[in-house]
Structure formats: structure tokens, C-alpha cells
């Protein structure tokens, strides 16, 4: 398991229009590390730079303490899994998996042993003689994973590997890919624009936008304590309530908003009294009923029934929020009601 360090990696295809501004990242050995962001943010370019398919304009790449920035792709010891499975349709599953070993000169019993181990890891041993067109999309993706793992890569790179699967299959493959990476004890870097994939699978996430890293952290850290408004909005649904800080103390800060005074337990460094800020409140953090802090009154209407929950629109005087109510049974709600938010569930962001 190798550590990966990126120092000052940048890239432009057109002068004056950077795809990647200087990027610094450290990825620990054995991590399943995600590069997350919208289309065009630079995440796939960064992955290809690490693989050696694209040359950076500046910066260095270290595998452990070795600078591999000038090495060609075949000398870096990486393996990549693409969006398209890129399997040979005329070859059997075991022949597809063995292909990389043959290019390395691995033959005989060693080749058979490693192919068998890789197929067992992805739970496809019984399908070894079948050919890719006879497999489901999820099974083909596992073949692609086995083919990458069998060569014992120093680093596994995954470029939106689930994007071609239907929603139900994507859900099941998330846990499968994480299990495979952990059982194989791989350092892996995974590119996606799907926030649910990142939140459910990643050890840590680097969130990118416009070629810049916006935040690096665990899924829980980025979801609950986003670094800025972009991070708050991209990583999950949220309410942004504008206000002004009226008091800062050891216990947090108090903000005047259209919904009334709100107290937040934590806030970003550098904020001061009278600063204009935005309060990030996740829809599921809103609770019906009164509490000792952060109460507000609103009318709940226009529910979107989601099965396990209902997404309600809350309309108050001068503000609007969405509320996610689990096990929502009401078909109608009329009149104003009281709601509250726990101070620990409010993130105070610079406007």
C-alpha cells in the first residue's frame, strides 16, 4: 500500500484557461480516496495525470518517497478501471483477466493462481468460462476490476466506473467495489460526480470546482461542516438562510435571520460580529415542535412523497426552507407550525 503525494500539479490546454490550478494532495496507503466534483472541474484530468496519460504543466507526483512524475504509464505500477469496461468480447472471462499478466510475461501456474484469486475476490469464479456479452453490467464491471487487480498494482485508479449502470445496480456495486479494494489492501483513487457514491464509499474526499480543491475531508466532515457555499450545496441538499452575526461567545455564535435569532455551536474561523453570513441547514436537521433554541414558525405545504420520507416546503415570513420528514404520513398540513434546529446542525458560512 503506497502513499501518494501531489505537489503543485497544474494543467491548461488553452493558455490562460487552467483546467487545474496548482493542486496539493496527500493520499494515505490503503485509502479509498475520491475526487468529486461537477463535469469539467478537472477531476478526470487529475486522474490521468496521476496515471501518466497526461503530462502536467507543473508539479510533482510521489509514490511513497519516489518522484514518478517523469515515468511513462507502464512504469508507474498503476491500473485503471474506465467507464466503459473495455473487455475483449471474443475472450472468456478468465482470458480477459489474464491478459494483463501475459503482457507482463507471467505464465503457467503463477498466471492460473493469480487469475483464480482475482476471480474469487470479485466472486466470479463460476463464470470464468463465459464471455463478456453474456454477463450483466455489474458482472462486467467486476471483470474489469479483477483484470486491474490481478497485476498487483501499486495504485488502483477508477474513472466513474459505475456511470453506465442503472440506479439499482449502482447501489449494489458501491459496497462491492469498497469491499474488493479493502480486501485487496489497495490504495485507490476514484473519480465521480455522484455525491451519493462519494458519501457512501469514500474514506476521504477531495471536492473540486473550476480546477481548484474546495475542501478535503471525510464524507461526514464535508457533509456536516462544508468549507463554503459551493461545498454545502454540491455535497447534499441544503437550506441557506442569510443573516448577521450579533454575538460570538465560547458556546458559539448568535445570528439574526428572517426566521429569528439562531444559535450555532460552531462557525468558520475569521468571522466576527456584524459579519453577513449564510446558515447551512440540511432538510433532515429541521425538527417539528418547539425547543429551547432556534425555534421558528412556518407553514408546511406542497409535500413531495419519497416513500420513506416526505420533502415539505416551509414558508415563513421572509424565508423559505425545505424539510425532510421521515415516515411522513400526513397528506395535508394547514396553518403555521413551530419548528426548530439543533445548534450542532447549523454550519455558519461566509456569504
Amino acid at each position: 500500500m503506497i502513499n501518494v503525494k501531489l505537489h503543485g500539479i497544474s494543467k491548461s490546454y488553452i493558455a490562460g484557461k487552467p483546467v487545474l490550478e496548482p493542486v496539493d494532495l496527500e493520499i494515505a496507503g490503503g485509502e479509498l480516496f475520491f475526487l468529486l466534483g461537477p463535469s469539467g472541474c478537472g477531476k478526470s484530468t487529475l486522474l490521468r495525470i496521476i496515471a501518466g496519460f497526461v503530462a502536467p504543466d507543473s508539479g510533482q507526483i510521489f509514490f511513497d518517497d519516489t518522484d514518478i512524475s517523469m515515468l511513462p504509464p507502464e512504469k508507474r505500477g498503476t491500473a485503471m478501471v474506465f467507464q466503459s469496461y473495455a473487455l475483449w468480447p471474443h475472450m472468456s472471462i478468465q482470458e480477459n483477466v489474464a491478459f494483463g499478466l501475459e503482457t507482463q510475461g507471467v505464465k503457467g501456474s503463477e498466471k492460473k493462481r493469480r487469475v483464480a484469486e482475482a476471480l474469487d475476490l470479485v466472486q466470479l469464479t463460476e463464470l470464468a468460462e463465459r464471455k463478456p456479452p453474456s454477463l450483466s453490467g455489474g458482472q462486467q464491471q467486476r471483470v474489469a476490476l479483477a483484470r486491474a487487480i490481478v497485476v498487483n498494482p501499486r495504485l488502483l485508479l477508477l474513472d466513474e466506473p459505475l456511470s453506465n449502470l442503472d440506479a439499482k445496480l449502482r447501489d449494489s456495486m458501491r459496497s462491492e467495489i469498497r469491499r474488493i479494494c479493502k480486501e485487496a489492501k489497495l490504495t485507490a483513487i476514484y473519480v465521480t460526480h455522484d455525491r451519493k457514491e462519494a458519501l457512501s464509499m469514500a474514506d476521504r474526499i477531495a471536492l473540486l470546482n473550476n480546477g481548484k480543491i474546495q475542501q478535503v475531508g471525510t464524507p461526514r466532515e464535508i457533509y456536516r461542516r462544508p468549507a463554503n457555499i459551493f461545498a454545502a450545496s454540491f455535497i447534499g441538499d441544503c437550506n441557506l438562510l442569510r443573516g448577521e452575526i450579533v454575538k460570538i461567545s465560547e458556546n458559539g455564535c448568535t445570528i439574526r435571520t428572517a426566521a429569528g435569532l439562531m444559535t450555532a455551536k460552531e462557525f468558520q474561523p475569521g468571522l466576527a460580529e456584524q459579519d453577513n453570513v449564510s446558515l447551512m441547514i440540511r432538510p433532515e436537521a429541521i425538527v417539528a415542535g418547539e425547543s429551547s433554541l432556534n425555534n421558528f414558525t412556518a407553514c408546511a405545504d406542497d409535500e413531495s412523497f419519497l416513500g420513506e420520507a416526505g420533502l415539505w416546503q416551509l414558508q415563513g415570513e421572509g424565508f423559505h426552507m425545505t424539510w425532510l420528514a421521515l415516515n411522513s404520513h400526513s397528506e395535508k398540513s394547514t396553518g403555521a407550525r413551530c419548528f426548530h434546529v439543533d445548534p450542532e446542525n447549523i454550519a455558519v458560512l461566509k456569504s
Side-chain angles (χ1 to χ4, degrees):
M1 295 188 291
I2 64 164
N3 301 309
V4 179
K5 294 181 183 179
L6 309 180
H7 178 65
I9 297 294
S10 68
K11 182 66 181 179
S12 296
Y13 293 108
I14 300 172
K17 294 184 178 180
V19 176
L20 282 174
E21 307 234 357
V23 168
D24 296 300
L25 272 179
E26 291 193 19
I27 299 162
E31 267 195 311
L32 180 51
F33 190 92
F34 271 61
L35 301 176
L36 174 67
S39 298
C41 71
K43 57 188 185 296
S44 290
T45 296
L46 184 56
L47 193 75
R48 283 162 169 72
I49 288 173
I50 295 169
F53 300 151
V54 174
D57 295 337
S58 65
Q60 294 173 288
I61 304 168
F62 293 89
F63 287 0
D64 290 332
D65 295 323
T66 302
D67 186 346
I68 56 91
S69 306
M70 303 305 292
L71 289 180
E74 66 272 16
K75 299 292 185 182
R76 297 191 179 194
T78 64
M80 184 173 280
V81 179
F82 297 94
Q83 294 179 35
S84 59
Y85 317 126
L87 303 177
W88 297 104
H90 63 286
M91 292 182 178
S92 69
I93 300 310
Q94 63 183 4
E95 288 171 339
N96 267 279
V97 174
F99 186 79
L101 292 176
E102 292 169 357
T103 61
Q104 292 181 343
V106 179
K107 299 178 180 179
S109 60
E110 173 69 6
K111 181 179 78 170
K112 289 181 180 180
R113 179 186 65 80
R114 287 169 64 174
V115 168
E117 288 177 351
L119 288 174
D120 181 62
L121 184 64
V122 300
Q123 299 177 352
L124 288 177
T125 301
E126 295 180 358
L127 304 180
E129 299 297 332
R130 289 172 59 175
K131 293 182 178 178
S134 70
L135 304 183
S136 69
Q139 289 170 332
Q140 290 186 52
Q141 190 57 271
R142 281 189 278 162
V143 175
L145 277 167
R147 185 181 56 189
I149 291 167
V150 76
V151 297
N152 293 333
R154 301 177 70 195
L155 177 65
L156 181 64
L157 306 173
L158 303 107
D159 190 4
E160 305 211 40
L162 304 183
S163 61
N164 290 333
L165 303 180
D166 62 55
K168 186 174 181 180
L169 197 49
R170 279 202 306 271
D171 290 346
S172 63
M173 282 300 297
R174 288 171 190 161
S175 57
E176 276 296 286
I177 289 179
R178 182 171 174 84
R179 175 189 65 80
I180 290 165
C181 289
K182 293 303 180 182
E183 287 187 12
K185 298 181 179 179
L186 290 167
T187 304
I189 303 176
Y190 189 123
V191 161
T192 187
H193 64 272
D194 188 321
R195 66 194 187 193
K196 288 186 178 179
E197 276 182 33
L199 289 172
S200 62
M201 295 172 64
D203 292 318
R204 285 193 304 144
I205 298 167
L207 181 60
L208 286 83
N209 190 40
N210 295 326
K212 298 179 182 178
I213 292 181
Q214 303 294 311
Q215 188 172 2
V216 178
T218 66
R220 193 175 298 274
E221 287 169 349
I222 296 179
Y223 187 81
R224 290 183 58 82
R225 294 290 176 259
N228 51 42
I229 290 175
F230 169 79
S233 301
F234 189 85
I235 203 69
D237 297 336
C238 68
N239 300 294
L240 294 172
L241 189 61
R242 294 181 64 83
E244 179 187 351
I245 296 177
V246 295
K247 183 180 179 182
I248 293 178
S249 68
E250 294 179 356
N251 298 322
C253 66
T254 302
I255 306 96
R256 182 183 294 109
T257 75
L261 291 178
M262 293 282 177
T263 298
K265 187 173 182 180
E266 297 181 22
F267 53 96
Q268 291 180 327
L271 291 175
E273 292 178 2
Q274 299 185 337
D275 280 354
N276 292 319
V277 293
S278 293
L279 306 191
M280 187 219 68
I281 302 170
R282 299 288 181 198
E284 70 274 13
I286 296 173
V287 181
E290 192 170 351
S291 182
S292 58
L293 288 171
N294 298 343
N295 296 301
F296 64 92
T297 301
C299 293
D301 54 25
D302 193 19
E303 181 196 21
S304 297
F305 182 62
L306 306 177
E308 73 279 6
L311 188 65
W312 294 83
Q313 304 303 313
L314 301 184
Q315 188 63 53
E317 289 191 23
F319 69 93
H320 172 268
M321 290 194 279
T322 57
W323 165 46
L324 186 69
L326 293 177
N327 300 315
S328 181
H329 299 296
S330 301
E331 294 184 4
K332 271 190 175 182
S333 177
T334 57
R337 301 171 59 185
C338 185
F339 298 89
H340 71 273
V341 183
D342 191 293
E344 293 185 351
N345 292 329
I346 298 178
V348 184
L349 307 176
K350 296 176 182 177
S351 292

